[in-house]
């Protein structure tokens, strides 16, 4: 009497249900920056502008309301700086 040849078990397709308790991972996303990466880069790039508005605002709240003038001035200058290149692109 002979033993039967071992039959290899078929491999599970990628979309098969994973057994309970195993980590299921998503397929790799398309290359490129994520939203988080873009936000961190934007904040890093505009850190001086953000602090130029935030510091006088905090000082206006805790020290003197006159610092609100500096905060508004910084915000207006930042808005003009941001909108000016956008207006130049339209022409």
């Amino acid at each position: 009497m002979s033993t039967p040849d071992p039959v290899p078990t078929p491999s599970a397709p990628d979309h098969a249900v994973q057994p309970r308790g195993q980590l299921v991972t998503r397929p790799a996303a398309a290359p490129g920056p994520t939203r988080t990466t873009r936000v961190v880069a934007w904040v890093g790039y505009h850190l001086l502008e953000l602090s130029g508005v935030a510091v006088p605002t905090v000082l206006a709240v805790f020290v003197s309301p006159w610092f609100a003038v500096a905060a508004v001035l910084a915000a207006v200058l930042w808005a003009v700086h941001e909108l000016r290149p956008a207006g130049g692109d339209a022409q």
Side-chain angles (χ1 to χ4, degrees):
M1 208 168 180
S2 66
T3 57
D5 291 333
V7 179
T9 57
S11 62
D14 291 338
H15 63 277
V17 176
Q18 297 292 327
R20 194 165 219 192
Q22 286 198 357
L23 179 64
V24 178
T25 59
R26 292 185 283 167
T34 62
R35 284 182 290 186
T36 304
T37 306
R38 281 186 257 153
V39 168
V40 168
W42 186 91
V43 168
Y45 185 72
H46 294 285
L47 190 60
L48 185 61
E49 296 163 335
L50 289 169
S51 63
V53 175
V55 169
T57 302
V58 170
L59 289 172
V61 170
F62 292 110
V63 178
S64 170
W66 285 103
F67 283 107
V69 175
V72 169
L73 180 63
V76 168
L77 289 174
W78 184 14
V80 168
H81 175 72
E82 289 294 320
L83 294 175
R84 220 158 138 198
D89 292 342
Q91 295 175 352

